[in-house]
């Protein structure tokens, strides 16, 4: 009975939880968040290139390196194709990133995911499961992805446009509701699939942690190498490094119809919080040290002329 309840929570609750999360995202968005691309063109282009090109390549390399079974391999690629979630905004705020840039990237990624997520998932299925015609995101299922991802966001934006004050008042309650519902659903999903999860946790823990570390590192280092300022690089790091695991789980279980395919996202969704927290403290420490060194250098350059001033 407990397993049946857990299954029902997963089937019904996960899409509902994701819908509330995406609706909450829409409540915080305005058309200006999309227009902001013109203010941060380099940061946006670098972040999107990392998100859409580098991360799927990294995930593919890790899948081959770890020798994952085919269904789990597709699940990893589905996770890599998932956009950043609203959690990225929270981490960016905690570690002094440019949250406005995060919001812009989340908005753009949510739109692009409607096209890129089915494409990457289908390519992964063709490569790892070439003889399985039952899986895949054909046109009808791609429409489901569109409904799951974009419709709640658009509704939230319409509410903000129509009643901005109401949207502001509802922002916090919607966030709290989404966290509570999601927590209940995740517990239900774990209970209903405990044996399957435990059987695969060992093989998935290492690859998901490494993927998270590499995603965060690429998201921070690539912009810095291309002279994007530090606050924007922190924002890019969390946007690229923190994937929307809930979206990947919903697509795997309710759209593709494979619980096993959702396991990489489920394991990642638990471990990612700790990895991202540690990474945040690491780059914050480096940023503080760099700022102190810059301050000392500036102080020395100001004092130097005084030392060379001739005495009468």
């Amino acid at each position: 009975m407990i397993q049946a309840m857990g299954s029902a929570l997963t089937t019904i609750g996960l899409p509902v939880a994701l819908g509330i999360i995406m609706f909450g995202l829409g409540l915080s968005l305005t058309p200006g968040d999309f227009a902001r691309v013109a203010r941060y063109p380099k940061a946006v282009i670098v972040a999107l290139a990392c998100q859409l090109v580098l991360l799927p390549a990294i995930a593919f390399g890790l899948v081959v390196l770890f020798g994952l079974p085919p269904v789990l391999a597709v699940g990893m690629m589905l996770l890599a194709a998932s956009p950043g979630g609203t959690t990225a905004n929270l981490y960016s705020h905690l570690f002094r990133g440019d949250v406005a840039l995060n919001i812009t990237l989340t908005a753009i990624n949510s739109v692009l995911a409607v096209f890129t997520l089915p494409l990457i998932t289908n390519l992964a299925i063709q490569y790892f499961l070439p003889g399985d015609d039952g899986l895949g995101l054909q046109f009808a299922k791609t429409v489901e992805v569109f409904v799951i991802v974009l419709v709640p966001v658009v509704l939230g934006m319409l509410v903000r446009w129509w009643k901005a004050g109401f949207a502001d008042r509802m922002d916090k309650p919607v966030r709290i509701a989404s966290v509570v519902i999601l927590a209940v659903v995740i517990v239900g999903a774990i209970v209903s699939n405990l044996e399957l999860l435990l059987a695969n946790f060992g093989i998935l823990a290492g690859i998901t942690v490494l993927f998270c570390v590499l995603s965060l590192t690429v998201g921070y280092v690539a912009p810095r190498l291309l002279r994007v300022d530090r606050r924007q690089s922190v924002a890019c790091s969390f946007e690229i490094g923190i994937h929307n695991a809930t979206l990947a789980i919903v697509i795997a279980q309710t759209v593709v119809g494979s619980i096993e395919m959702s396991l990489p996202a489920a394991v990642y969704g638990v471990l990612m919080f700790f990895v991202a927290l540690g990474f945040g403290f690491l780059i914050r420490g480096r940023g503080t040290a760099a700022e102190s060194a810059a301050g000392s250098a500036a102080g020395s350059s100001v004092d130097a002329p005084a030392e060379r001033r001739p005495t009468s």
Side-chain angles (χ1 to χ4, degrees):
M1 181 177 177
I2 294 177
Q3 188 169 6
M5 289 177 61
S7 179
L9 274 173
T10 303
T11 305
I12 301 170
L14 263 177
V16 170
L18 180 64
I20 294 174
I21 291 170
M22 301 308 286
F23 178 74
L25 171 62
L27 285 178
S28 66
L29 292 178
T30 66
D33 295 319
F34 294 90
R36 197 183 288 122
V37 175
R39 289 174 54 194
Y40 313 126
K42 182 190 286 189
V44 171
I45 291 170
V46 172
L48 291 179
C50 291
Q51 179 85 43
L52 301 177
V53 180
L54 284 182
L55 289 198
I58 289 171
F60 180 80
L62 290 176
V63 163
V64 173
L65 179 66
F66 278 74
L68 285 188
V71 176
L72 296 181
V74 175
M76 273 300 300
M77 296 304 296
L78 172 59
L79 174 65
S82 299
T86 52
T87 308
N89 301 353
L90 171 62
Y91 275 87
S92 185
H93 173 70
L94 288 175
F95 295 105
R96 301 174 185 175
D98 189 334
V99 179
L101 176 60
N102 275 106
I103 293 171
T104 296
L105 289 172
T106 300
I108 295 171
N109 272 329
S110 297
V111 175
L112 292 178
V114 175
F115 308 99
T116 58
L117 196 150
L119 174 63
I120 293 172
T121 304
N122 280 337
L123 288 174
I125 289 172
Q126 290 175 16
Y127 184 88
F128 293 106
L129 296 163
D132 196 334
D133 297 328
L135 296 177
L137 296 176
Q138 288 76 35
F139 178 75
K141 292 183 177 180
T142 301
V143 172
E144 287 186 51
V145 175
F146 172 82
V147 172
I148 288 171
V149 176
L150 277 192
V151 169
V153 173
V154 172
L155 288 175
M157 291 184 69
L158 288 174
V159 170
R160 167 161 285 280
W161 172 75
W162 183 45
K163 294 283 187 181
F166 174 77
D168 289 334
R169 292 194 301 272
M170 289 300 296
D171 182 60
K172 187 174 181 180
V174 168
R175 288 176 186 270
I176 294 172
S178 64
V179 170
V180 171
I181 294 173
L182 185 58
V184 172
V185 169
I186 288 175
V187 170
I190 291 173
V191 168
S192 62
N193 302 290
L194 186 59
E195 291 185 11
L196 187 61
L197 185 61
L198 290 176
N200 292 278
F201 188 86
I203 191 174
L204 289 173
I207 189 172
T208 51
V209 167
L210 185 55
F211 176 66
C212 188
V213 170
L214 290 174
S215 299
L216 289 162
T217 303
V218 166
Y220 182 75
V221 172
R224 293 299 283 158
L225 289 175
L226 293 170
R227 301 185 182 279
V228 174
D229 75 45
R230 186 179 177 279
R231 288 187 69 239
Q232 292 183 352
S233 296
V234 171
C236 291
S237 175
F238 288 117
E239 190 66 34
I240 293 165
I242 298 179
H243 295 265
N244 192 336
T246 310
L247 175 60
I249 293 171
V250 169
I251 298 239
Q253 293 195 11
T254 65
V255 180
V256 180
S258 172
I259 292 176
E260 191 175 359
M261 194 180 289
S262 71
L263 293 178
V267 174
Y268 169 90
V270 173
L271 300 177
M272 167 271 295
F273 290 102
F274 306 102
V275 177
L277 192 65
F279 186 85
F281 281 115
L282 176 65
I283 60 175
R284 188 172 74 170
R286 290 178 61 85
T288 303
E291 288 167 7
S292 299
S296 299
S300 299
S301 65
V302 170
D303 294 338
E307 295 173 2
R308 293 193 297 270
R309 189 177 299 139
T311 56
S312 55

